[in-house]
Amino acid sequence: MSKDKLLFVTGKLASPSLKDLLSRMTESLPFEWEINTLPINVAALATIEWISSHLKITNKPDKIIIPGLCRGKAKILEIQTGIPCIKGPKDLRDLPNFLKVGNFNATNPDYGKYNIEIIAEINHAPDLSLEEIETTAIHLISQGADIIDLGMNPGTPWKQVGECVQRLKKLNIKVSIDSFNPVEVESAVNAGADLVLSINEDNLGIAKHLECEFVLIPKEPGKLETLSKCVEKLLSWNRKFRIDPILEPIGLGFAKSLLGYYKARELYPTIPMMMGIGNVTELTDSDSSGINALLIAICQELNIQSVLTTSVINWCRTSVKEIDLARKLMFHAITKQVIPKRLEPGLLLLRDPTERRHGIETLNRFKSEIKDKNFRIFAEEGVIHIMNKNIHLTGQDPYKLIEEVKKTEEIDESHSFYLGFELCKAMTAITLGKNYTQDQELQWGFLTREETIHRNPMVDKKIE
């Protein structure tokens, strides 16, 4: 059976790199390929209309791939040529992922399932207005929360707890109440609260007459023996409940408390469980995404069906979204028995999945082929490169680079801003070992903010 043929359209500067990349991948590609080099240095500066008028096709391909940064709709070229046409990645070094050669598997139709419920706590709810609580709840639900937990303050019962629960229920939001105060708990449940955090042997009696679900905890952390009688009573009362053995902070029995969850699962193999993971994420000087992923993996392996999280301290502010991505990653990895690698790029916040490099030889070739004064900026292996037909400067200090540029080039105000913005990104990239591509946003996983498409202000109006 003959393979499909793909025609890759590119500009003069990228053509050798594209050829080299495709040549190295040829054995793993399920198609044949050909490159059509347009009469322009950088194809991304061209419009689809311009490409349509300059593209000359000799051997008709099955599909045309054009650079992702080209302006205009690929459909225009498709109509013009009668050949299916799609935009490729913004950077040719992303072509292996685009072609699904060593790609992330998030496109797997089975990926995205999960069975862990996220309970997101709004701390000190009585200190907030009902409008603030509602706004926060809507945001947390949008990030992946399944239940909104109202964290109460000790002391006098909150008089508005029932009204607050009713407002959230009208928005079809499931609500839990985090309180040991029986007046507060009863008001919340009567208003429609779905879950009560928490009960132990001291306040167990409240569960006898309230119709909702409860979280059962030991009277003392680590004392699983205090759960047995409570479990028997709750079962005899036909109450719905889940068990939380209590996760301790690092330094105060963290590892031993993890063992408690393992033992609890052995003792109660069919009873739902919950883990309050904020005791670790909020109380550890570390970005929360990796910690959340690891704790969710533990929950997935132990069949712990729900987690309680907070997002109070700044390094935990996106915990709900992190857990939402992690529960999908770990469900897939554990149910499919695969390593949780190259499955979820959204959780790779600080560094990129792979470090892409042109290499000094390719960068020098780029410099030799540039025939205009437009600046090209690259950043790799700890060095920033800035070049046009007159210069090729390298360094790690954007300020010094700008001063060197000013010695040979006249830069107006708008172009100074542009260079400063791009050099700032390049500096960030070499500091963190991230990938930098001029005129593109740096990648921060699910935190990436798409940049408004802008062009080098020194680009000539005439692109040929």
Side-chain angles (χ1 to χ4, degrees), residues 44-210:
L45 298 177
T47 63
I48 298 295
E49 289 82 358
W50 186 90
I51 293 175
S52 296
S53 63
H54 288 77
L55 181 62
K56 295 179 175 57
I57 298 175
T58 53
N59 300 317
K60 186 175 181 180
D62 296 289
K63 189 176 294 184
I64 299 173
I65 312 294
I66 59 175
L69 283 175
C70 289
R71 288 162 290 176
K73 295 183 179 181
K75 193 70 176 177
I76 296 173
L77 185 59
E78 188 170 314
I79 294 172
Q80 177 80 14
T81 61
I83 302 168
C85 176
I86 59 174
K87 286 189 176 183
K90 294 179 179 179
D91 190 302
L92 71 84
R93 291 171 295 178
D94 290 327
L95 206 53
N97 279 353
F98 179 80
L99 298 172
K100 297 182 176 59
V101 179
N103 190 23
F104 280 90
N105 290 320
T107 54
N108 188 311
D110 290 334
Y111 190 87
K113 298 177 182 178
Y114 60 88
N115 60 2
I116 292 178
E117 184 179 56
I118 301 173
I119 306 169
E121 181 178 0
I122 300 178
N123 296 73
H124 304 294
D127 297 340
L128 305 173
S129 69
L130 297 184
E131 289 73 22
E132 288 174 320
I133 292 173
E134 188 174 298
T135 299
T136 302
I138 291 171
H139 170 70
L140 293 172
I141 292 294
S142 74
Q143 296 298 293
D146 301 292
I147 299 178
I148 298 301
D149 180 58
L150 299 175
M152 297 294 104
N153 294 332
T156 305
W158 186 32
K159 293 181 180 179
Q160 289 183 292
V161 64
E163 183 183 353
C164 182
V165 171
Q166 289 175 344
R167 286 183 65 148
L168 295 180
K169 294 297 290 184
K170 285 181 180 179
L171 296 173
N172 294 318
I173 294 174
K174 295 180 70 175
V175 182
S176 68
I177 174 76
D178 195 340
S179 174
F180 278 94
N181 189 305
V183 175
E184 241 166 15
V185 170
E186 191 160 349
S187 296
V189 173
N190 289 338
D194 304 275
L195 181 66
V196 172
L197 281 70
S198 301
I199 56 173
N200 58 28
E201 62 182 40
D202 287 342
N203 67 338
L204 188 68
I206 197 172
K208 193 169 185 178
H209 64 278
L210 291 180

Side-chain angles (χ1 to χ4, degrees), residues 264-296:
R265 177 46 74 215
E266 286 187 325
L267 287 170
Y268 307 108
T270 61
I271 295 178
M273 290 177 63
M274 185 192 87
M275 180 185 287
I277 61 180
N279 277 352
V280 174
T281 55
E282 291 274 348
L283 302 177
T284 305
D285 283 340
S286 177
D287 292 334
S288 58
S289 59
I291 297 176
N292 277 323
L294 187 58
L295 291 174
I296 292 299

